[in-house]
Short mmCIF file of all heavy atoms in Angstrom, two decimals:
data_model
loop_
_atom_site.label_atom_id
_atom_site.label_comp_id
_atom_site.label_asym_id
_atom_site.label_seq_id
_atom_site.Cartn_x
_atom_site.Cartn_y
_atom_site.Cartn_z
N ASN A 1 26.66 -8.94 19.60
CA ASN A 1 26.86 -10.33 19.26
C ASN A 1 26.58 -10.51 17.78
O ASN A 1 25.50 -10.22 17.30
CB ASN A 1 25.93 -11.15 20.14
CG ASN A 1 26.06 -12.63 19.95
OD1 ASN A 1 26.28 -13.09 18.83
ND2 ASN A 1 25.91 -13.37 21.00
N GLU A 2 27.57 -11.02 17.09
CA GLU A 2 27.48 -11.15 15.63
C GLU A 2 26.39 -12.11 15.19
O GLU A 2 25.69 -11.87 14.21
CB GLU A 2 28.83 -11.62 15.08
CG GLU A 2 28.90 -11.57 13.57
CD GLU A 2 30.29 -11.87 13.05
OE1 GLU A 2 31.26 -11.35 13.62
OE2 GLU A 2 30.39 -12.63 12.08
N ILE A 3 26.20 -13.20 15.94
CA ILE A 3 25.17 -14.18 15.58
C ILE A 3 23.78 -13.54 15.71
O ILE A 3 22.93 -13.73 14.85
CB ILE A 3 25.28 -15.43 16.47
CG1 ILE A 3 26.58 -16.16 16.14
CG2 ILE A 3 24.08 -16.36 16.25
CD1 ILE A 3 26.90 -17.32 17.05
N ALA A 4 23.58 -12.77 16.77
CA ALA A 4 22.28 -12.12 16.96
C ALA A 4 22.01 -11.13 15.83
O ALA A 4 20.89 -11.05 15.32
CB ALA A 4 22.24 -11.42 18.31
N LEU A 5 23.02 -10.35 15.45
CA LEU A 5 22.83 -9.40 14.35
C LEU A 5 22.54 -10.11 13.04
O LEU A 5 21.72 -9.64 12.25
CB LEU A 5 24.07 -8.50 14.20
CG LEU A 5 24.21 -7.41 15.25
CD1 LEU A 5 25.49 -6.60 14.99
CD2 LEU A 5 23.01 -6.49 15.27
N ASP A 6 23.19 -11.25 12.81
CA ASP A 6 22.91 -12.02 11.60
C ASP A 6 21.46 -12.48 11.57
O ASP A 6 20.81 -12.42 10.51
CB ASP A 6 23.84 -13.23 11.50
CG ASP A 6 25.26 -12.86 11.11
OD1 ASP A 6 25.47 -11.74 10.61
OD2 ASP A 6 26.15 -13.71 11.26
N SER A 7 20.94 -12.92 12.71
CA SER A 7 19.55 -13.37 12.74
C SER A 7 18.58 -12.21 12.55
O SER A 7 17.54 -12.36 11.92
CB SER A 7 19.24 -14.16 14.02
OG SER A 7 19.32 -13.34 15.14
N VAL A 8 18.93 -11.03 13.09
CA VAL A 8 18.09 -9.85 12.89
C VAL A 8 18.10 -9.47 11.41
O VAL A 8 17.05 -9.18 10.82
CB VAL A 8 18.56 -8.66 13.76
CG1 VAL A 8 17.81 -7.38 13.39
CG2 VAL A 8 18.36 -8.97 15.23
N GLU A 9 19.27 -9.49 10.79
CA GLU A 9 19.36 -9.17 9.36
C GLU A 9 18.53 -10.14 8.54
O GLU A 9 17.83 -9.74 7.60
CB GLU A 9 20.81 -9.20 8.91
CG GLU A 9 21.63 -8.01 9.42
CD GLU A 9 23.11 -8.11 9.10
OE1 GLU A 9 23.57 -9.20 8.66
OE2 GLU A 9 23.81 -7.11 9.33
N CYS A 10 18.58 -11.42 8.90
CA CYS A 10 17.80 -12.43 8.18
C CYS A 10 16.31 -12.16 8.37
O CYS A 10 15.54 -12.22 7.42
CB CYS A 10 18.17 -13.82 8.71
SG CYS A 10 17.36 -15.17 7.84
N GLY A 11 15.91 -11.82 9.59
CA GLY A 11 14.51 -11.51 9.87
C GLY A 11 14.05 -10.30 9.08
O GLY A 11 12.93 -10.29 8.54
N VAL A 12 14.89 -9.28 8.99
CA VAL A 12 14.56 -8.07 8.23
C VAL A 12 14.32 -8.43 6.77
O VAL A 12 13.36 -7.97 6.15
CB VAL A 12 15.66 -7.00 8.40
CG1 VAL A 12 15.56 -5.92 7.33
CG2 VAL A 12 15.59 -6.38 9.79
N GLU A 13 15.16 -9.29 6.22
CA GLU A 13 14.99 -9.69 4.81
C GLU A 13 13.64 -10.38 4.59
O GLU A 13 12.94 -10.10 3.62
CB GLU A 13 16.12 -10.63 4.40
CG GLU A 13 17.45 -9.94 4.22
CD GLU A 13 18.56 -10.91 3.86
OE1 GLU A 13 18.27 -11.98 3.22
OE2 GLU A 13 19.72 -10.63 4.18
N TYR A 14 13.27 -11.29 5.51
CA TYR A 14 11.99 -11.97 5.40
C TYR A 14 10.81 -11.00 5.52
O TYR A 14 9.83 -11.12 4.80
CB TYR A 14 11.87 -13.10 6.44
CG TYR A 14 12.62 -14.34 6.06
CD1 TYR A 14 13.75 -14.74 6.77
CD2 TYR A 14 12.20 -15.13 4.99
CE1 TYR A 14 14.44 -15.88 6.43
CE2 TYR A 14 12.89 -16.28 4.64
CZ TYR A 14 14.01 -16.65 5.36
OH TYR A 14 14.69 -17.79 5.00
N LEU A 15 10.92 -10.06 6.44
CA LEU A 15 9.84 -9.09 6.62
C LEU A 15 9.69 -8.20 5.40
O LEU A 15 8.57 -7.86 5.01
CB LEU A 15 10.08 -8.26 7.88
CG LEU A 15 9.97 -9.04 9.20
CD1 LEU A 15 10.55 -8.24 10.34
CD2 LEU A 15 8.52 -9.43 9.47
N GLU A 16 10.81 -7.81 4.80
CA GLU A 16 10.75 -7.01 3.57
C GLU A 16 10.03 -7.78 2.48
O GLU A 16 9.20 -7.22 1.75
CB GLU A 16 12.16 -6.62 3.13
CG GLU A 16 12.81 -5.58 4.02
CD GLU A 16 14.28 -5.35 3.71
OE1 GLU A 16 14.91 -6.21 3.06
OE2 GLU A 16 14.80 -4.31 4.13
N LYS A 17 10.32 -9.07 2.37
CA LYS A 17 9.66 -9.91 1.36
C LYS A 17 8.17 -10.03 1.67
O LYS A 17 7.33 -10.01 0.75
CB LYS A 17 10.30 -11.29 1.30
CG LYS A 17 11.68 -11.27 0.69
CD LYS A 17 12.31 -12.64 0.70
CE LYS A 17 13.75 -12.57 0.17
NZ LYS A 17 14.41 -13.87 0.23
N ALA A 18 7.83 -10.17 2.95
CA ALA A 18 6.43 -10.30 3.35
C ALA A 18 5.64 -9.06 2.96
O ALA A 18 4.49 -9.16 2.51
CB ALA A 18 6.33 -10.55 4.85
N LEU A 19 6.24 -7.89 3.10
CA LEU A 19 5.54 -6.65 2.77
C LEU A 19 5.37 -6.49 1.26
O LEU A 19 4.46 -5.77 0.82
CB LEU A 19 6.27 -5.44 3.36
CG LEU A 19 6.08 -5.27 4.85
CD1 LEU A 19 6.99 -4.19 5.39
CD2 LEU A 19 4.62 -4.98 5.18
N LYS A 20 6.18 -7.16 0.48
CA LYS A 20 5.96 -7.13 -0.98
C LYS A 20 4.72 -7.91 -1.35
O LYS A 20 4.08 -7.63 -2.35
CB LYS A 20 7.20 -7.68 -1.70
CG LYS A 20 8.37 -6.73 -1.63
CD LYS A 20 9.56 -7.28 -2.36
CE LYS A 20 10.72 -6.28 -2.23
NZ LYS A 20 11.94 -6.80 -2.85
N ILE A 21 4.39 -8.91 -0.52
CA ILE A 21 3.21 -9.73 -0.77
C ILE A 21 1.96 -9.07 -0.21
O ILE A 21 0.92 -9.02 -0.86
CB ILE A 21 3.39 -11.13 -0.12
CG1 ILE A 21 4.55 -11.85 -0.82
CG2 ILE A 21 2.10 -11.95 -0.23
CD1 ILE A 21 5.02 -13.10 -0.11
N LYS A 22 2.07 -8.54 1.02
CA LYS A 22 0.93 -7.90 1.67
C LYS A 22 1.43 -6.59 2.27
O LYS A 22 1.93 -6.55 3.39
CB LYS A 22 0.37 -8.81 2.77
CG LYS A 22 -0.90 -8.30 3.40
CD LYS A 22 -1.43 -9.26 4.43
CE LYS A 22 -2.68 -8.66 5.07
NZ LYS A 22 -3.11 -9.49 6.21
N ASP A 23 1.26 -5.51 1.52
CA ASP A 23 1.89 -4.24 1.88
C ASP A 23 1.11 -3.37 2.86
O ASP A 23 1.47 -2.23 3.10
CB ASP A 23 2.22 -3.43 0.63
CG ASP A 23 0.98 -2.93 -0.10
OD1 ASP A 23 -0.13 -3.37 0.25
OD2 ASP A 23 1.15 -2.11 -1.02
N ASN A 24 0.06 -3.92 3.46
CA ASN A 24 -0.72 -3.13 4.41
C ASN A 24 -0.78 -3.77 5.79
O ASN A 24 -1.64 -3.46 6.58
CB ASN A 24 -2.12 -2.86 3.88
CG ASN A 24 -2.93 -4.13 3.73
OD1 ASN A 24 -2.37 -5.22 3.73
ND2 ASN A 24 -4.22 -4.00 3.56
N ASP A 25 0.15 -4.69 6.07
CA ASP A 25 0.14 -5.41 7.34
C ASP A 25 0.91 -4.61 8.40
O ASP A 25 2.14 -4.55 8.38
CB ASP A 25 0.74 -6.81 7.18
CG ASP A 25 0.57 -7.62 8.43
OD1 ASP A 25 -0.57 -7.85 8.84
OD2 ASP A 25 1.61 -7.99 9.02
N ILE A 26 0.19 -4.02 9.31
CA ILE A 26 0.78 -3.12 10.30
C ILE A 26 1.77 -3.85 11.20
O ILE A 26 2.82 -3.34 11.53
CB ILE A 26 -0.33 -2.44 11.13
CG1 ILE A 26 -1.21 -1.59 10.21
CG2 ILE A 26 0.26 -1.59 12.24
CD1 ILE A 26 -2.52 -1.18 10.81
N GLU A 27 1.42 -5.08 11.61
CA GLU A 27 2.30 -5.85 12.50
C GLU A 27 3.66 -6.12 11.82
O GLU A 27 4.70 -6.09 12.48
CB GLU A 27 1.64 -7.16 12.92
CG GLU A 27 0.40 -6.97 13.77
CD GLU A 27 0.70 -6.24 15.08
OE1 GLU A 27 1.74 -6.51 15.69
OE2 GLU A 27 -0.13 -5.41 15.47
N THR A 28 3.63 -6.37 10.53
CA THR A 28 4.88 -6.61 9.81
C THR A 28 5.70 -5.33 9.76
O THR A 28 6.92 -5.37 9.94
CB THR A 28 4.59 -7.14 8.38
OG1 THR A 28 3.79 -8.32 8.49
CG2 THR A 28 5.87 -7.48 7.64
N TYR A 29 5.04 -4.20 9.54
CA TYR A 29 5.78 -2.93 9.57
C TYR A 29 6.42 -2.69 10.94
O TYR A 29 7.56 -2.27 11.04
CB TYR A 29 4.84 -1.75 9.26
CG TYR A 29 4.55 -1.55 7.80
CD1 TYR A 29 3.27 -1.67 7.29
CD2 TYR A 29 5.57 -1.23 6.91
CE1 TYR A 29 3.00 -1.48 5.95
CE2 TYR A 29 5.32 -1.02 5.57
CZ TYR A 29 4.03 -1.16 5.08
OH TYR A 29 3.77 -0.96 3.76
N PHE A 30 5.66 -2.99 12.02
CA PHE A 30 6.22 -2.84 13.36
C PHE A 30 7.47 -3.69 13.55
O PHE A 30 8.50 -3.24 14.02
CB PHE A 30 5.20 -3.25 14.43
CG PHE A 30 4.36 -2.13 14.93
CD1 PHE A 30 2.97 -2.30 15.01
CD2 PHE A 30 4.89 -0.93 15.36
CE1 PHE A 30 2.16 -1.28 15.49
CE2 PHE A 30 4.10 0.09 15.84
CZ PHE A 30 2.73 -0.09 15.89
N ALA A 31 7.34 -4.95 13.18
CA ALA A 31 8.47 -5.89 13.36
C ALA A 31 9.66 -5.45 12.52
O ALA A 31 10.81 -5.50 12.98
CB ALA A 31 8.04 -7.30 12.98
N LEU A 32 9.41 -5.00 11.30
CA LEU A 32 10.49 -4.54 10.43
C LEU A 32 11.14 -3.29 11.00
O LEU A 32 12.38 -3.18 11.05
CB LEU A 32 9.95 -4.27 9.02
CG LEU A 32 10.97 -3.83 7.97
CD1 LEU A 32 12.09 -4.87 7.84
CD2 LEU A 32 10.28 -3.61 6.64
N GLY A 33 10.33 -2.36 11.47
CA GLY A 33 10.88 -1.14 12.08
C GLY A 33 11.76 -1.47 13.29
O GLY A 33 12.84 -0.92 13.46
N GLU A 34 11.30 -2.40 14.10
CA GLU A 34 12.08 -2.81 15.27
C GLU A 34 13.38 -3.49 14.85
O GLU A 34 14.42 -3.31 15.48
CB GLU A 34 11.25 -3.72 16.16
CG GLU A 34 10.15 -2.97 16.87
CD GLU A 34 9.17 -3.85 17.62
OE1 GLU A 34 9.25 -5.09 17.51
OE2 GLU A 34 8.31 -3.28 18.32
N GLY A 35 13.32 -4.25 13.76
CA GLY A 35 14.52 -4.88 13.25
C GLY A 35 15.53 -3.83 12.81
O GLY A 35 16.73 -3.93 13.13
N TYR A 36 15.05 -2.83 12.09
CA TYR A 36 15.95 -1.75 11.68
C TYR A 36 16.53 -1.02 12.89
O TYR A 36 17.71 -0.66 12.89
CB TYR A 36 15.21 -0.75 10.78
CG TYR A 36 14.94 -1.23 9.38
CD1 TYR A 36 13.69 -1.04 8.79
CD2 TYR A 36 15.91 -1.87 8.64
CE1 TYR A 36 13.43 -1.47 7.50
CE2 TYR A 36 15.67 -2.31 7.34
CZ TYR A 36 14.42 -2.11 6.79
OH TYR A 36 14.17 -2.54 5.50
N GLU A 37 15.72 -0.84 13.92
CA GLU A 37 16.24 -0.19 15.12
C GLU A 37 17.35 -1.03 15.76
O GLU A 37 18.39 -0.49 16.17
CB GLU A 37 15.12 0.03 16.14
CG GLU A 37 14.21 1.18 15.78
CD GLU A 37 13.22 1.49 16.88
OE1 GLU A 37 13.68 1.91 17.97
OE2 GLU A 37 12.01 1.30 16.67
N LYS A 38 17.16 -2.34 15.84
CA LYS A 38 18.18 -3.22 16.40
C LYS A 38 19.47 -3.17 15.60
O LYS A 38 20.56 -3.33 16.16
CB LYS A 38 17.67 -4.65 16.49
CG LYS A 38 16.63 -4.84 17.58
CD LYS A 38 16.10 -6.24 17.62
CE LYS A 38 15.01 -6.34 18.69
NZ LYS A 38 14.39 -7.65 18.71
N LEU A 39 19.33 -2.96 14.31
CA LEU A 39 20.52 -2.84 13.45
C LEU A 39 21.07 -1.42 13.44
O LEU A 39 22.02 -1.13 12.73
CB LEU A 39 20.15 -3.26 12.01
CG LEU A 39 19.76 -4.72 11.83
CD1 LEU A 39 19.25 -4.96 10.41
CD2 LEU A 39 20.93 -5.63 12.13
N LYS A 40 20.45 -0.55 14.24
CA LYS A 40 20.83 0.86 14.34
C LYS A 40 20.67 1.61 13.01
O LYS A 40 21.37 2.57 12.72
CB LYS A 40 22.25 1.01 14.90
CG LYS A 40 22.38 0.37 16.27
CD LYS A 40 23.54 0.90 17.02
CE LYS A 40 23.74 0.23 18.37
NZ LYS A 40 22.60 0.07 19.20
N ASN A 41 19.74 1.14 12.21
CA ASN A 41 19.40 1.79 10.94
C ASN A 41 18.14 2.63 11.21
O ASN A 41 17.04 2.29 10.80
CB ASN A 41 19.15 0.73 9.87
CG ASN A 41 18.97 1.33 8.50
OD1 ASN A 41 18.77 2.54 8.36
ND2 ASN A 41 19.02 0.51 7.48
N PHE A 42 18.34 3.72 11.94
CA PHE A 42 17.22 4.49 12.46
C PHE A 42 16.44 5.21 11.36
O PHE A 42 15.23 5.34 11.45
CB PHE A 42 17.70 5.47 13.52
CG PHE A 42 18.32 4.77 14.70
CD1 PHE A 42 19.66 4.93 14.99
CD2 PHE A 42 17.55 3.94 15.50
CE1 PHE A 42 20.22 4.28 16.07
CE2 PHE A 42 18.10 3.28 16.58
CZ PHE A 42 19.44 3.45 16.88
N GLU A 43 17.12 5.67 10.33
CA GLU A 43 16.40 6.34 9.24
C GLU A 43 15.44 5.39 8.55
O GLU A 43 14.29 5.76 8.26
CB GLU A 43 17.39 6.96 8.24
CG GLU A 43 18.13 8.14 8.81
CD GLU A 43 19.09 8.76 7.81
OE1 GLU A 43 18.89 8.59 6.59
OE2 GLU A 43 20.04 9.42 8.26
N GLU A 44 15.88 4.16 8.32
CA GLU A 44 15.02 3.16 7.68
C GLU A 44 13.87 2.78 8.63
O GLU A 44 12.75 2.57 8.18
CB GLU A 44 15.84 1.92 7.31
CG GLU A 44 15.15 1.00 6.36
CD GLU A 44 15.06 1.58 4.95
OE1 GLU A 44 15.99 2.24 4.49
OE2 GLU A 44 14.03 1.32 4.30
N ALA A 45 14.16 2.74 9.92
CA ALA A 45 13.11 2.45 10.91
C ALA A 45 12.02 3.52 10.86
O ALA A 45 10.82 3.20 10.84
CB ALA A 45 13.71 2.35 12.30
N VAL A 46 12.43 4.76 10.82
CA VAL A 46 11.46 5.87 10.77
C VAL A 46 10.62 5.78 9.50
O VAL A 46 9.40 5.91 9.54
CB VAL A 46 12.17 7.24 10.88
CG1 VAL A 46 11.20 8.37 10.54
CG2 VAL A 46 12.75 7.42 12.27
N GLU A 47 11.26 5.52 8.37
CA GLU A 47 10.52 5.39 7.11
C GLU A 47 9.51 4.25 7.19
O GLU A 47 8.39 4.36 6.69
CB GLU A 47 11.48 5.17 5.95
CG GLU A 47 12.29 6.40 5.58
CD GLU A 47 13.30 6.13 4.46
OE1 GLU A 47 13.10 5.16 3.70
OE2 GLU A 47 14.26 6.88 4.37
N THR A 48 9.91 3.15 7.82
CA THR A 48 9.03 2.00 7.94
C THR A 48 7.85 2.32 8.85
O THR A 48 6.71 1.98 8.54
CB THR A 48 9.82 0.79 8.50
OG1 THR A 48 10.89 0.50 7.60
CG2 THR A 48 8.94 -0.44 8.63
N TYR A 49 8.11 3.00 9.96
CA TYR A 49 7.01 3.38 10.85
C TYR A 49 6.09 4.40 10.17
O TYR A 49 4.87 4.39 10.38
CB TYR A 49 7.53 3.95 12.16
CG TYR A 49 8.22 2.91 13.03
CD1 TYR A 49 9.42 3.20 13.65
CD2 TYR A 49 7.66 1.66 13.22
CE1 TYR A 49 10.06 2.26 14.46
CE2 TYR A 49 8.29 0.70 14.01
CZ TYR A 49 9.49 1.02 14.64
OH TYR A 49 10.10 0.09 15.43
N GLU A 50 6.64 5.26 9.31
CA GLU A 50 5.80 6.20 8.56
C GLU A 50 4.87 5.45 7.62
O GLU A 50 3.70 5.81 7.47
CB GLU A 50 6.67 7.19 7.78
CG GLU A 50 7.31 8.24 8.66
CD GLU A 50 8.30 9.14 7.91
OE1 GLU A 50 8.71 8.80 6.78
OE2 GLU A 50 8.68 10.18 8.48
N ARG A 51 5.37 4.40 7.01
CA ARG A 51 4.52 3.57 6.12
C ARG A 51 3.45 2.87 6.96
O ARG A 51 2.31 2.69 6.50
CB ARG A 51 5.37 2.57 5.35
CG ARG A 51 6.27 3.25 4.32
CD ARG A 51 6.90 2.31 3.34
NE ARG A 51 7.41 1.10 3.92
CZ ARG A 51 8.64 0.63 3.76
NH1 ARG A 51 9.51 1.28 3.03
NH2 ARG A 51 9.00 -0.49 4.31
N ALA A 52 3.81 2.47 8.19
CA ALA A 52 2.82 1.83 9.07
C ALA A 52 1.71 2.82 9.43
O ALA A 52 0.54 2.43 9.48
CB ALA A 52 3.50 1.31 10.34
N VAL A 53 2.07 4.07 9.68
CA VAL A 53 1.07 5.09 9.99
C VAL A 53 0.10 5.23 8.81
O VAL A 53 -1.11 5.27 8.99
CB VAL A 53 1.73 6.45 10.32
CG1 VAL A 53 0.69 7.57 10.36
CG2 VAL A 53 2.48 6.38 11.64
N LYS A 54 0.66 5.27 7.61
CA LYS A 54 -0.17 5.41 6.42
C LYS A 54 -1.10 4.20 6.28
O LYS A 54 -2.28 4.33 6.00
CB LYS A 54 0.73 5.55 5.19
CG LYS A 54 -0.02 5.88 3.93
CD LYS A 54 0.94 5.99 2.77
CE LYS A 54 1.07 7.43 2.36
NZ LYS A 54 1.92 7.60 1.17
N ALA A 55 -0.56 2.99 6.50
CA ALA A 55 -1.36 1.76 6.37
C ALA A 55 -2.43 1.65 7.44
O ALA A 55 -3.47 1.02 7.24
CB ALA A 55 -0.45 0.53 6.41
N SER A 56 -2.20 2.29 8.61
CA SER A 56 -3.13 2.16 9.73
C SER A 56 -4.13 3.31 9.78
O SER A 56 -4.91 3.39 10.74
CB SER A 56 -2.37 2.13 11.05
OG SER A 56 -1.86 3.42 11.35
N ASN A 57 -4.09 4.20 8.81
CA ASN A 57 -4.96 5.39 8.81
C ASN A 57 -4.72 6.26 10.04
O ASN A 57 -5.65 6.81 10.60
CB ASN A 57 -6.43 5.01 8.67
CG ASN A 57 -6.73 4.39 7.33
OD1 ASN A 57 -6.23 4.83 6.31
ND2 ASN A 57 -7.52 3.33 7.33
N GLY A 58 -3.46 6.34 10.46
CA GLY A 58 -3.10 7.24 11.55
C GLY A 58 -3.39 6.74 12.95
O GLY A 58 -3.46 7.52 13.89
N GLU A 59 -3.54 5.44 13.13
CA GLU A 59 -3.80 4.87 14.46
C GLU A 59 -2.80 5.39 15.48
O GLU A 59 -1.60 5.45 15.22
CB GLU A 59 -3.72 3.35 14.36
CG GLU A 59 -4.09 2.63 15.63
CD GLU A 59 -4.03 1.13 15.43
OE1 GLU A 59 -4.68 0.63 14.51
OE2 GLU A 59 -3.33 0.48 16.21
N ILE A 60 -3.26 5.75 16.65
CA ILE A 60 -2.44 6.44 17.65
C ILE A 60 -1.24 5.59 18.09
O ILE A 60 -0.14 6.12 18.26
CB ILE A 60 -3.29 6.89 18.87
CG1 ILE A 60 -2.44 7.77 19.80
CG2 ILE A 60 -3.84 5.70 19.63
CD1 ILE A 60 -2.11 9.10 19.25
N GLY A 61 -1.40 4.30 18.28
CA GLY A 61 -0.30 3.45 18.71
C GLY A 61 0.83 3.44 17.69
O GLY A 61 2.01 3.43 18.04
N VAL A 62 0.47 3.47 16.43
CA VAL A 62 1.45 3.49 15.37
C VAL A 62 2.18 4.83 15.36
O VAL A 62 3.40 4.89 15.21
CB VAL A 62 0.79 3.21 14.00
CG1 VAL A 62 1.79 3.28 12.88
CG2 VAL A 62 0.08 1.87 14.02
N ARG A 63 1.44 5.91 15.55
CA ARG A 63 2.08 7.23 15.59
C ARG A 63 3.03 7.37 16.78
O ARG A 63 4.08 7.99 16.66
CB ARG A 63 1.02 8.33 15.62
CG ARG A 63 0.35 8.49 14.25
CD ARG A 63 -0.47 9.73 14.17
NE ARG A 63 -1.75 9.48 14.84
CZ ARG A 63 -2.59 10.42 15.20
NH1 ARG A 63 -2.29 11.67 15.01
NH2 ARG A 63 -3.73 10.11 15.76
N LEU A 64 2.69 6.77 17.91
CA LEU A 64 3.59 6.82 19.07
C LEU A 64 4.90 6.08 18.77
O LEU A 64 5.97 6.52 19.16
CB LEU A 64 2.90 6.22 20.30
CG LEU A 64 1.79 7.07 20.90
CD1 LEU A 64 1.08 6.29 22.00
CD2 LEU A 64 2.36 8.37 21.45
N LYS A 65 4.81 4.96 18.10
CA LYS A 65 6.01 4.20 17.75
C LYS A 65 6.90 5.04 16.84
O LYS A 65 8.11 5.07 16.99
CB LYS A 65 5.61 2.88 17.07
CG LYS A 65 6.73 1.94 16.86
CD LYS A 65 7.21 1.38 18.18
CE LYS A 65 8.28 0.33 17.95
NZ LYS A 65 8.89 -0.13 19.18
N LEU A 66 6.29 5.72 15.89
CA LEU A 66 7.05 6.59 14.99
C LEU A 66 7.71 7.71 15.77
O LEU A 66 8.88 8.02 15.56
CB LEU A 66 6.12 7.17 13.91
CG LEU A 66 6.72 8.23 12.99
CD1 LEU A 66 7.91 7.67 12.23
CD2 LEU A 66 5.69 8.75 12.04
N ALA A 67 6.99 8.31 16.70
CA ALA A 67 7.55 9.41 17.49
C ALA A 67 8.76 8.93 18.30
O ALA A 67 9.77 9.62 18.36
CB ALA A 67 6.48 9.97 18.42
N ASN A 68 8.67 7.75 18.89
CA ASN A 68 9.80 7.22 19.64
C ASN A 68 11.00 6.96 18.74
O ASN A 68 12.13 7.21 19.11
CB ASN A 68 9.40 5.94 20.37
CG ASN A 68 8.49 6.19 21.53
OD1 ASN A 68 8.51 7.27 22.12
ND2 ASN A 68 7.67 5.22 21.86
N ALA A 69 10.77 6.47 17.54
CA ALA A 69 11.86 6.20 16.61
C ALA A 69 12.51 7.48 16.14
O ALA A 69 13.72 7.55 15.95
CB ALA A 69 11.35 5.40 15.41
N ASP A 70 11.73 8.55 15.98
CA ASP A 70 12.26 9.84 15.55
C ASP A 70 13.30 10.36 16.53
O ASP A 70 14.26 11.02 16.15
CB ASP A 70 11.16 10.88 15.40
CG ASP A 70 10.54 10.85 14.01
OD1 ASP A 70 11.23 10.46 13.05
OD2 ASP A 70 9.38 11.25 13.89
N PHE A 71 13.14 10.07 17.83
CA PHE A 71 14.10 10.53 18.82
C PHE A 71 15.44 9.84 18.68
O PHE A 71 16.46 10.38 19.07
CB PHE A 71 13.55 10.31 20.24
CG PHE A 71 12.49 11.31 20.61
CD1 PHE A 71 11.20 10.89 20.87
CD2 PHE A 71 12.78 12.66 20.70
CE1 PHE A 71 10.22 11.81 21.21
CE2 PHE A 71 11.82 13.59 21.02
CZ PHE A 71 10.53 13.16 21.28
N ALA A 72 15.45 8.64 18.11
CA ALA A 72 16.71 7.90 17.98
C ALA A 72 17.55 8.37 16.81
O ALA A 72 18.74 8.13 16.76
CB ALA A 72 16.40 6.41 17.82
N VAL A 73 16.93 9.07 15.88
CA VAL A 73 17.64 9.49 14.66
C VAL A 73 18.60 10.61 14.92
O VAL A 73 18.68 11.40 15.67
CB VAL A 73 16.66 9.89 13.54
CG1 VAL A 73 17.38 10.50 12.36
CG2 VAL A 73 15.87 8.70 13.11
#
């Protein structure tokens, strides 16, 4: 659905801007990674989840999300 993709793209833009303001917010990284996945931009999703792992000091839940995204690439 084109409207849904447009809203996801808009959300991704806002999340990217939010991370420029506060670059260590794990929830924002999660939401951004999920947005990239919905847009089928799996490489960008993996990179975003990798940044989340770094920001979370390796928290296990964050690493699991990254592992799941790696399978989609």
